[in-house]
Amino acid sequence: MKGLVIWIKTEEGADESILDKLGREIEVRGGRVEVFHSEAIENLGMENNDRAKAVACAMLASHGVVVIASGPEHPSINPGEKLEVRIIEESDLHRTDTKDIFMRDLELAGLVPPPKYDVHPDEEKEILKKLQDLGYLEE
Amino acid sequence: MLVPPHGGRLIDRQYEGSEAEEIINQVRDGKLLTLNPREKNDLEMIGNGAMSPLEGFMSRADYEMVIDLMHLVAGPVWSLPVVFSQKDGDPDVSPGDHVGLKDIEGTIWGDMRIEDVFNADLMAEAEKTLGTIDDSHPGVMYLKLLSGKYIGGKIRSIRRREIESFQNYRLDPKETRVLFRARGWKTAVAFQTRNPIHRAHEYIQKCAMEIVDGLLLHPLIGETQQGDIPAEVRMRCYEEILKDYYPNTRVAMSVFPAAMRYAGPKEAIFHALLRKNYGCSHFIVGRDHAGVGNFYGTYDAQMIFDKFDPDELGIVPLKFEHAFFCSKCGGMATPKTCAHDSQHHVFLSGKKVRAMLKEGILPPPEFTRPEIAEILMEAARNGDN
């Protein structure tokens, strides 16, 4: 299975909580995911720069894992047989459909299974209310 | 457990409220492409998941696979192209562009991230999908009006409930799925119709209801050809008959916002796959389903299902003959169940019924329930059919 590096282009020193959020969503869907914070590089005793981070991410991802990282620079990772790289702007992540597209791409790549539900459980409650309002179901 | 969506996942690319506003703001000042009525229907049905696993208008690879092999590149069966055509006066676009999709009045209904712009041989498409290039086929005529250049890419659609027709009957696939579950249905049969309900339809529907948990009455309200009974009239007929003749906990009626393509057998597959996305496990296929004129054989739309592995379709076709009232049997029957000559059968063609209504003659109760006949008569008087 191909791994994937999702590289989010951010401002220097940007808040990395957005990585955790995306990582959680992939994890909830059953994907193998690793969120690679900047401090991880320092904890590994390496210099904190995008090149070092990119190399570490590529090594992880080549084992069939989705790796999420961020940085201001374009990462120097070459996609190959074992690895795909997706670079997105942080601002794009706030767009309505970016995460949907992501999840779908991950599904198609076999990195997360399709959802077990056809309708999200939270949305199902709203739909039940609508069906009652329309007279399809009794209160 | 309901039947899973086609391709495994119910696509949801439909937005409303603030999310729809966001889409409009992104595209309103950029390139806008024009949807024709069929494309507008398709946009809605891609967005609401009825056309799962499609996430947009087809690119060349899917288009060619579909017209040649009736499969998508990703594998699932798909019998008809779902494409967006370049229109005269629209801006030129290329892959990578993000464009808005508007109707002819200028209302924005969605957006598309363009992945492919390609030329198509429309008469080859007609031959392969409709089985003809004859101008008298409405599908051929439709293709002849197109530019021959298709634009593919993922879409997002905008739901504008406030201006939708049949608001109380508009259920998306996720909504019918929730409804079926809430009613405890594990199996459901869909009935596709573009005609008013007669006794023959009622008989077929009720036969099907005997073997499944529920019936989804799914009248098509998208674009049809001139001469078809208007959707408003058909819906009134269904509302009337549902009052007294069907158990209301075992039937749901919702509109099917697709345009007719009149592609006969291939459209029968298409209709079935879309109903699978609505949560239906079974689909009623009558004689000459989605046919027009004499372009298709009587049983073509039923036989085409045999070309596929049942698992790859994932929905069971229920193949029915024409039904009629038999005076000897004293009830509804079909050629499969009736031993008597046609002289004992009450069966009227749509053309004959229209002629009777025009002359102020009500069709006999063995053919149409009186309540329905009254509605059709009133519509005829008002010039609605």
Side-chain angles (χ1 to χ4, degrees), chain A residues 100-112:
Chain A
D100 289 345
I101 291 172
F102 249 146
M103 289 300 173
R104 186 68 179 144
D105 284 352
L106 294 179
E107 255 177 65
L108 294 172
L111 288 164
V112 300

Side-chain angles (χ1 to χ4, degrees), chain A residues 119 123-139, chain B residues 2 159 161 167-185 216 248 251-255 278:
Chain A
V119 181
E123 202 180 357
E124 186 139 353
K125 288 178 198 155
E126 289 171 29
I127 292 173
L128 282 170
K129 173 77 175 59
K130 177 188 167 183
L131 292 169
Q132 287 169 351
D133 292 345
L134 289 174
Y136 282 98
L137 295 171
E138 289 185 9
E139 297 275 344
Chain B
L2 292 173
R159 182 150 193 193
R161 292 178 194 268
Q167 286 178 12
N168 293 343
Y169 291 108
R170 277 201 183 252
L171 298 186
D172 293 341
K174 60 187 172 188
E175 292 166 338
T176 51
R177 284 173 170 270
V178 172
L179 174 63
F180 295 173
R181 268 197 289 276
R183 286 187 174 179
W185 299 357
L216 175 65
N248 59 16
V251 180
M253 180 163 72
S254 161
V255 293
Y278 281 90

